Amino acid sequence: MPKALITGITGQDGSYLAEFLLEEGYDVVGMLRRSSTVNFERIDHIQHDIELAPGDLIDGASMVQVLREHQPDEVYNLAAQSFVQTSFGQPVLTGETTALGVTRLLDAIRMVAPEARFYQASSSEMFGKVHEVPQNEDTPFHPRSPYGVAKVYGHWITLNYRESYDMHASSGILFNHESPRRGLEFVTRKITDGAARIKMGLADELRLGNLDAQRDWGYAGDYVQAMWHMLQQDVADDYVICMGETHSVREFCELAFGHLGLNHEDHVVVDPKFYRPAEVDLLIGDATKAEKVLGWKPATSFEELVVMMVDADMDRLQPN
């Protein structure tokens, strides 16, 4: 029975990946940062099927200990300070976890579990001020946030360890991927939660930033399967994972509110305080390589994703 170690297992992607790997017959170990406010909500339904191990990307020794104790066959690094807006206010913390944390983990693997296959969660935010449309594996990076900069570091250090130490280390350059498990601080979930609250009479308005920002949005449950496929390849490589279509924040609002019989223009208020200091205007990916090499294609449409998230928030807000 293969064993996988997932950092960031309590996050959106970690919970979906853990579910998927359990279905594939894996032993799943989740590395968990000690905290007084750990949220197990996303993995509560599988908590008895997985093993949790204390560790922190800021503490290299803790990762050595986790790897030595569990000797995983695959390591999925999904832990990070992953909110772009926060990275502007906490750039050093973002660098410590999202950038240098990757080096600490890779070096621990090199020393303790060199045969383990490694997945790094790279991000479309690395493209930032895009140099071409759509973006693929060869598109130059031009990050527009401390988060994007940190992800570029994590991406390149993964490539460096692959080339320097012959490690099976792959990066998935994932474009925006959402789900009902997305944090409420992210714009997509903020929209679906806001629409549901307005529909139920719990709120009157929803304040958002740039409605014209465009993203390539897909379903996280589909995207974690691509991560697994990368580590099943004989040769490690990097892959763009995306839908290959772009939608604006405004369009997301139209679909979410429209699904509930509401007009978003009656409720959405543009608030400049939610604008980023430097905006990423148009992200749209080209997943041709992933489809050709991995045999991966997304199964959930953009419209299905929005409806799924709205319905989940409506169910969550129903009185018991």
Side-chain angles (χ1 to χ4, degrees):
M1 184 178 288
K3 181 181 286 189
L5 171 67
I6 303 173
T7 73
I9 195 167
T10 59
Q12 171 189 256
D13 292 7
S15 65
Y16 281 113
L17 179 61
E19 284 178 350
F20 176 75
L21 292 177
L22 288 171
E23 291 170 3
E24 293 293 319
Y26 279 68
D27 276 340
V28 176
V29 179
M31 194 177 87
L32 197 65
R33 182 167 54 90
R34 289 201 185 279
S35 168
S36 60
T37 57
V38 175
N39 184 356
F40 292 101
E41 181 181 354
R42 296 184 182 97
I43 59 169
D44 189 57
H45 60 297
I46 56 171
Q47 201 169 330
H48 297 295
D49 301 317
I50 62 179
E51 187 173 353
L52 298 175
D56 196 321
L57 290 180
I58 291 179
D59 181 7
S62 70
M63 287 183 282
V64 168
Q65 179 62 34
V66 170
L67 290 163
R68 183 173 287 145
E69 181 178 344
H70 295 282
Q71 290 294 319
D73 301 292
E74 298 172 3
V75 178
Y76 296 86
N77 183 35
L78 310 184
Q81 190 302 100
S82 59
F83 189 42
V84 175
Q85 191 72 33
T86 296
S87 77
F88 285 101
Q90 299 181 339
V92 175
L93 174 66
T94 300
E96 280 288 350
T97 55
T98 309
L100 291 176
V102 185
T103 309
R104 296 186 187 101
L105 181 51
L106 281 166
D107 218 43
I109 293 170
R110 179 181 67 84
M111 291 186 289
V112 180
E115 299 303 313
R117 298 187 171 193
F118 176 77
Y119 171 83
Q120 166 60 14
S122 290
S123 168
S124 60
E125 289 284 335
M126 300 188 306
F127 295 123
K129 188 175 181 179
V130 297
H131 290 236
E132 62 184 16
V133 178
Q135 296 91 49
N136 61 32
E137 293 80 6
D138 297 319
T139 301
F141 299 138
H142 189 150
R144 299 271 279 172
S145 66
Y147 170 78
V149 172
K151 280 294 185 182
V152 169
Y153 177 97
H155 181 85
W156 282 118
I157 200 67
T158 300
L159 176 63
N160 181 259
Y161 270 66
R162 181 167 79 213
E163 294 179 346
S164 299
Y165 304 111
D166 197 29
M167 292 174 65
H168 195 294
S170 298
S171 286
I173 306 174
L174 271 59
F175 279 64
N176 294 65
H177 45 290
E178 318 297 322
S179 76
R181 300 179 193 172
R182 193 54 141 158
L184 285 165
E185 70 271 23
F186 290 87
V187 67
T188 50
R189 185 71 195 291
K190 190 175 178 181
I191 292 168
T192 60
D193 174 74
R197 288 181 180 278
I198 290 168
K199 179 65 175 179
M200 297 182 70
L202 301 175
D204 297 317
E205 67 177 27
L206 174 63
R207 305 184 79 83
L208 298 173
N210 183 11
L211 300 185
D212 296 318
Q214 295 178 306
R215 296 291 184 272
D216 185 328
W217 277 301
Y219 173 47
D222 293 339
Y223 283 31
V224 298
Q225 296 184 29
M227 301 174 185
W228 176 78
H229 281 293
M230 290 179 210
L231 297 200
Q232 310 318 304
Q233 304 305 307
D234 292 335
V235 179
D237 207 346
D238 306 323
Y239 298 88
V240 165
I241 304 299
C242 62
M243 296 289 286
E245 57 187 53
T246 189
H247 302 275
S248 67
V249 174
R250 190 185 310 276
E251 186 177 350
F252 201 108
C253 289
E254 289 173 357
L255 281 169
F257 280 82
H259 179 58
L260 298 177
L262 301 170
N263 184 346
H264 78 282
E265 293 180 345
D266 295 335
H267 304 284
V268 173
V269 178
V270 174
D271 188 336
K273 81 174 183 180
F274 292 116
Y275 276 69
R276 295 182 184 179
E279 180 57 90
V280 175
D281 296 314
L282 177 59
L283 289 174
I284 177 170
D286 176 3
T288 300
K289 180 178 175 181
E291 182 177 348
K292 181 179 178 181
V293 179
L294 306 179
W296 178 86
K297 291 180 71 173
T300 309
S301 72
F302 173 70
E303 291 77 14
E304 289 169 337
L305 170 65
V306 177
V307 168
M308 176 201 309
M309 292 176 67
V310 171
D311 287 346
D313 276 321
M314 286 293 290
D315 290 343
R316 180 178 59 87
L317 292 168
Q318 293 289 345
N320 294 328

